[in-house]
Amino acid sequence: AHNINYPVYLDGMAVEILGMYLNNKNFIDNSDLLQRAGRKVSFVNGSMRKKILNNPCIIVSPAGMLKGGPAAKYAWRLAENSKAAIFLVSFQIPGTPGAELLNSGAITRNNVKKRVNARVEQFHFSSHSDSTQLKEFLKSLKPETKVFMVHGEGKSSEVLADWARRELNLQAIVPNLGDTYSI
């Protein structure tokens, strides 16, 4: 449909996620389209990674803000290639390699910094809920439910936890690293 004339590869967690989606088709719009697309991609194993970069291709690999995994290795290897492109999706936390790439046009690996000549773009696809969606979910919980705010910036997590305690009578907790709780 998009006239892509290059091989498309899935690597890292993208392989597992595709499998999860296809095993839970009832939760996905256009699951038949996803299944057809899944038949047209190749799955990468570790020994293929260097080889597939020898020819033009598309590689889909979750980036984790380029902190590790296959995406970080691909970005490092493609950085100086002006014909390559590195597309990051979603928010890049300040201080991460993904944020460094977007802000300075450079990438650092093993304390070596490299200028990036590849095309770099950020797309704001997010699997995260916004404030309204989070509040709607919290409203669905019974009062006194214990809720842990573990995936967000500290101040934002505290604001949401305060709201949940005040407005919904939830036991909303923003744990610190190393804290332990009994559930």
Side-chain angles (χ1 to χ4, degrees), residues 141-175:
L141 302 176
K142 295 177 184 172
E144 297 300 318
T145 299
K146 194 177 282 190
V147 179
F148 295 91
M149 311 293 182
V150 296
H151 188 71
E153 294 186 33
K155 185 173 181 167
S156 297
S157 295
E158 279 296 342
V159 168
L160 183 60
D162 287 342
W163 177 86
R165 286 189 292 266
R166 189 179 62 254
E167 297 294 322
L168 304 175
N169 198 28
L170 295 173
Q171 294 181 43
I173 301 163
V174 181

Side-chain angles (χ1 to χ4, degrees), residues 105-117:
I107 192 167
T108 304
R109 184 172 179 202
N110 299 326
N111 295 319
V112 176
K113 192 172 201 164
K114 186 188 285 192
R115 184 95 194 121
V116 176
N117 296 321

Side-chain angles (χ1 to χ4, degrees), residues 30-61:
N30 300 317
S31 63
D32 292 340
L33 178 62
L34 181 62
Q35 189 162 13
R36 285 193 311 273
R39 287 193 291 263
K40 294 182 179 185
V41 300
S42 298
F43 302 120
V44 176
N45 62 46
S47 64
M48 295 171 59
R49 288 190 179 121
K50 288 182 182 179
K51 182 180 176 186
I52 65 174
L53 291 175
N54 292 331
N55 296 300
C57 64
I58 297 167
I59 304 167
V60 178
S61 182

